[in-house]
Structures are given as C-alpha cells and as structure tokens.
Amino acid sequence: MSTNVIPLAGVIGSPIAHSKSPRLHGYWLKKYGIPGHYVPLHVNSDDLEDVLKTMPRMGFVGANVTIPHKEHVLTFADVVTDRAALIGAANTLIFREDGKLLADNTDGYGFIENLRQGVPGWSADAGPAAVIGAGGAARAVVSALIEVGCPEIRLANRTKARSEALRQEFGTKIQVIDWVQAGNMLEGAALVVNTSSLGMEGKAEMRIPLDGISPDAVVTDLVYTPLETKLLAHARSIGCRTVDGLGMLLYQAVPGFERWFGTRPEVDDALRETMLK
Ligand code: NAP
C-alpha cells in the first residue's frame, strides 16, 4: 500500500444497509488510528464485474462480500484460496498490488477461532460434532471442522438433499441424519452447532428436542440475534460450555482487516459492546 494514499475497504452486497461490517471495521480503524475508511457498497449482480475492476483504481485495497454475491464473485477472481474453493464462496477480497484479485473465505476461521477463544483448550478431536443445518454457513463450518481434525460430523437439515450434497463434497466423515432424527444425533456429541436460521429473531423457532445434549458438550449457535438462543440457554442450564455466534462474526473479519490495513486487530469486550448497541 502506498503511504500517501488513504486505504479504502468496504462490503459489497444487495441489500447492504443492514450490514454490521462498517461498524466492526470502523471500530478497529478508530482504535488503531488508521487513516482508512470502510463503507457499505450497494452493488447489483449485473454490475459486480465492473465494480470489481474499478475499485482498485479508486483506492480500494479490498472488500468483504455478502449476499447475493458470495458464490458469483469467484468467477471474477484471479486467485481463489483453497478454502474458498472448497466452500464454493468468498467473503473476503484482496486487490493485490500486482493487479490480481484474490478471493478468500474466512468464515471457517472465524468459527474455529470463536470456539478456541470461548472454550480455552477446545479441541476438535474430542468426539463427534452434531451440526444442524446445511446452508451456506454450514459449508464453512463443516469444511473447517474437517480441517481441524473432527473425527465425525453428524449433519441434519430440513432439506436432506442439501446434507447429502455436503457429504458428496466433503466425504465420509459426514453422516447424514434424517431431520426427524435430529434430536437423537445430539446424544454423545462433543460439539453441537446450529448453523441454521432456526431461533433467529423473526425466523422459525428451534423445535428440535434438546434433551440428548450431554453436559460435557460444547454448544455453539451461529445465530446471534438474540445473543442467547433457546439452544444456548438450554445448554447453559444443564452445565454445557456455550459460545455465542457474535464472536464468529468478529473473528472472521480479523484476517481481512490485517491484509488491508496492515494491523492485526484484537477482538475485545468493547468491540462486542459496540456491535450489540
Ligand atoms: P442459508 O444458506 O439460507 O441456510 C439456511 C439454513 O437454515 C438451511 O439449512 C435451512 O434449511 C435452514 N432453515 C431455514 N428455515 C428453516 C425452518 N423453518 N426449519 C428448518 N430449517 C430451516 O443461510 P446461511 O447463510 O447458512 O445462514 C444461516 C444462519 O447462520 C443465519 O441465521 C445467519 O445469520 C447465521 N450466520 C451467522 C454467522 C456468524 O458470523 N455468526 C455467519 C454466517 C451465518 P433448508 O436447507 O431446508 O432450507
């Protein structure tokens, strides 16, 4: 990055007004006194390619990508990291100084880092993981769990074909469980993860019977509105170690900020409070 240019980054999506990323990166820019800016960018699918070509010429060093461009953006990238290719989607772009566009996916990193910070000593090889949901977020979670050595992933999704597609892609560590059996798969799981939108404000409630969860399990939910979902409240009430979903959102942003602005940012309590306001 040239020293006399103010670095810009942003989040590309449609709609974009609801994005929490400007607040997140804005907090770090201020905290570290970096003279950069991070802006929300409303971009329609038809304009995506042109926008990506123009951004580096305007001083952008990178961007986050959100719905509906996370998959499509891979088509325009010159370099796609292994993890983005495996997940089939990117959330972080870097406009490199050699003119190439690099596409990465940091959701899996954010997921694992959130668990490691929330449960010190957590290890993926403690036993089977039970994963609820098989949408876009589940792809990042499943691929990250396999990468860090999880021995078995039980996967239940309302639409079974989507869990079967994940098994096809990610292999035999994944055991596809019928949606009606989702409660049973929680028994003996060392890690329970909700990657579905169940339990999120404004979405359907989590109705899976939770009594199979062992008090020894670590339980985490990707949903962070509310911060304590019904799943997390139940898990906490029986003595499980629980980790909320806000941390994943914060940690997935760390690698991008570091690449764009040259400082590895810290996820601290004040940041969590800023995001919850
Ligand atoms: P997505 O691709 O649209 O997938 C939605 C998932 O929820 C699918 O598995 C879907 O099942 C399931 N689902 C939706 N309504 C359901 C219902 N009524 N009954 C049963 N299952 C239902 O969305 P996504 O991107 O994976 O995101 C999923 C959730 O994770 C969202 O709440 C999102 O906010 C959250 N998230 C959080 C973070 C974070 O940083 N904390 C990151 C990414 C996502 P079907 O396949 O049957 O439709």
Side-chain angles (χ1 to χ4, degrees):
M1 190 196 317
S2 160
T3 47
N4 51 8
V5 173
I6 291 182
L8 304 177
V11 55
I12 301 170
S14 171
I16 201 63
H18 68 285
S19 173
K20 288 186 163 33
S21 295
R23 195 190 296 183
L24 167 50
H25 289 278
Y27 170 89
W28 283 330
L29 285 168
K30 194 168 167 211
K31 174 173 173 180
Y32 297 107
I34 296 170
H37 298 281
Y38 184 102
V39 288
L41 297 160
H42 187 126
V43 177
N44 294 319
S45 296
D46 289 348
D47 297 325
L48 183 61
E49 186 173 10
D50 284 346
V51 166
L52 293 172
K53 281 195 181 130
T54 313
M55 285 175 74
R57 291 185 227 144
M58 296 167 66
F60 279 88
V61 290
N64 288 121
V65 190
T66 187
I67 290 166
H69 306 312
K70 289 177 94 166
E71 292 86 15
H72 192 204
V73 74
L74 293 182
T75 333
F76 306 119
D78 301 299
V79 183
V80 176
T81 63
D82 288 349
R83 52 192 185 177
L86 207 59
I87 295 165
N91 69 343
T92 303
L93 302 179
I94 291 143
F95 299 113
R96 294 195 331 199
E97 284 182 0
D98 63 2
K100 303 246 189 273
L101 170 58
L102 181 139
D104 192 10
N105 195 312
T106 63
D107 278 340
Y109 166 83
F111 171 72
I112 297 292
E113 198 57 23
N114 190 31
L115 279 176
R116 287 187 173 146
Q117 297 294 330
V119 182
W122 175 79
S123 172
D125 56 17
V131 176
I132 300 162
R139 296 179 69 84
V141 166
V142 162
S143 107
L145 283 174
I146 290 174
E147 196 185 324
V148 296
C150 185
E152 177 191 326
I153 298 172
R154 304 168 183 170
L155 183 61
N157 191 50
R158 176 181 60 176
T159 309
K160 196 176 177 186
R162 275 181 115 177
S163 352
E164 279 169 347
L166 279 183
R167 185 175 194 279
Q168 283 268 314
E169 280 181 58
F170 291 102
T172 51
K173 280 193 175 172
I174 297 180
Q175 211 190 323
V176 173
I177 309 291
D178 284 338
W179 185 236
V180 287
Q181 298 293 327
N184 296 345
M185 81 169 176
L186 305 177
E187 283 172 32
L191 175 71
V192 175
V193 188
N194 175 40
T195 74
S196 79
S197 54
L198 291 174
M200 188 176 167
E201 269 167 28
K203 302 279 181 177
E205 266 182 53
M206 169 74 72
R207 294 194 192 280
I208 295 171
L210 302 174
D211 13 315
I213 299 177
S214 152
D216 298 331
V218 169
V219 180
T220 186
D221 203 323
L222 267 55
V223 170
Y224 55 84
T225 50
L227 204 52
E228 184 169 83
T229 58
K230 194 171 138 188
L231 169 66
L232 293 184
H234 169 82
R236 195 168 53 86
S237 76
I238 61 165
C240 296
R241 287 157 300 167
T242 61
V243 181
D244 68 54
L246 180 62
M248 176 175 167
L249 177 78
L250 307 183
Y251 285 107
Q252 63 75 33
V254 169
F257 188 93
E258 183 179 22
R259 285 294 295 266
W260 305 326
F261 300 116
T263 298
R264 189 160 185 89
E266 197 192 342
V267 172
D268 55 23
D269 289 345
L271 173 60
R272 278 179 65 88
E273 276 159 32
T274 302
M275 299 305 290
L276 290 170
K277 269 181 202 153

